[in-house]
Every structure is written in structure tokens, then in C-alpha cells.
Amino acid sequence: MTHITPLGKLILVKEIKSDETQTVGGLVIPVTANEDNLKKAIVLKVGVGERSGFNGELYPVDTVKEGMIVYYSPNHATEVKDNRTGEIFYFVNSGMLFGYEDTDAQE
């Protein structure tokens, strides 16, 4: 785990790298064909949310939880390196996520 904590509605994720991706239909896509597309990551930490400018009420990030597998665009992520461990993580605005994997879904 890391000591880096996201603020506001940011989340901290670690990219899940794979050599290839398989679509639902069974098509295998090599990683080189997918470099600029969505990235898959695990959520490590979630910010507390944002306060309303109107009444100061806190609106928490409630759609994303630690441990979820999410999809994000590399164009909307900021890389950060943990100086203690050397690991690379990404800050992503929770509102810029494209989706998540539903682990409760039956196939």
C-alpha cells in the first residue's frame, strides 16, 4: 500500500497491466493495439468528496470503492510516483471514469 492520499473527488489507482485483452465475444486484442485506449486499474484509495459552494455540504465519492476494478482514459490521469516504494500510481477524477467491472454479475 502507499502513503499517498487523494483529495476531493480524486481516486488513486494502480494500473493492471496485461499482455492482451479478451473481449466478451472472445476476440483477443494485443496490448500494442490498445495503447491509447482505456486502461484498467484497481482503486487503492478514494478521496472524501467535494463541498458544495452553496451550502458547504460534503458530497462524498459514493460510486467508487477501494478494491474496485475501473476503466479510465490515460488522457484523464496524472501519474504519481511513490518515493518510498518507487511504484507508479495514477490520480483520476472519479467523474472521469468510464466504467467498472461488476464482480457480482452472473455469466
Side-chain angles (χ1 to χ4, degrees), residues 3-107:
H3 68 282
I4 300 170
T5 301
L7 299 175
K9 58 183 185 175
L10 293 176
I11 61 172
L12 185 70
V13 300
K14 183 170 184 176
E15 184 178 344
I16 299 172
K17 298 193 184 240
S18 71
D19 293 337
E20 55 191 24
T21 302
Q22 186 169 359
T23 66
V24 175
L27 179 66
V28 177
I29 303 169
V31 71
T32 54
N34 202 19
E35 288 177 350
D36 295 327
N37 293 331
L38 297 182
K39 301 291 184 180
K40 182 177 179 179
I42 186 164
V43 177
L44 301 177
K45 294 185 180 181
V46 179
V48 296
E50 282 191 326
R51 294 211 175 267
S52 165
F54 178 68
N55 61 7
E57 184 177 343
L58 180 65
Y59 292 98
V61 178
D62 58 358
T63 55
V64 182
K65 306 288 182 218
E66 292 178 8
M68 288 178 77
I69 304 296
V70 295
Y71 292 89
Y72 68 96
S73 168
N75 298 329
H76 297 118
T78 302
E79 184 178 296
V80 60
K81 181 178 180 179
D82 186 326
N83 291 330
R84 293 182 185 174
T85 65
E87 288 183 280
I88 301 295
F89 303 102
Y90 296 90
F91 284 118
V92 181
N93 183 317
S94 60
M96 298 302 288
L97 293 174
F98 283 81
Y100 63 91
E101 286 189 5
D102 187 358
T103 56
D104 296 330
Q106 299 291 333
E107 289 191 25

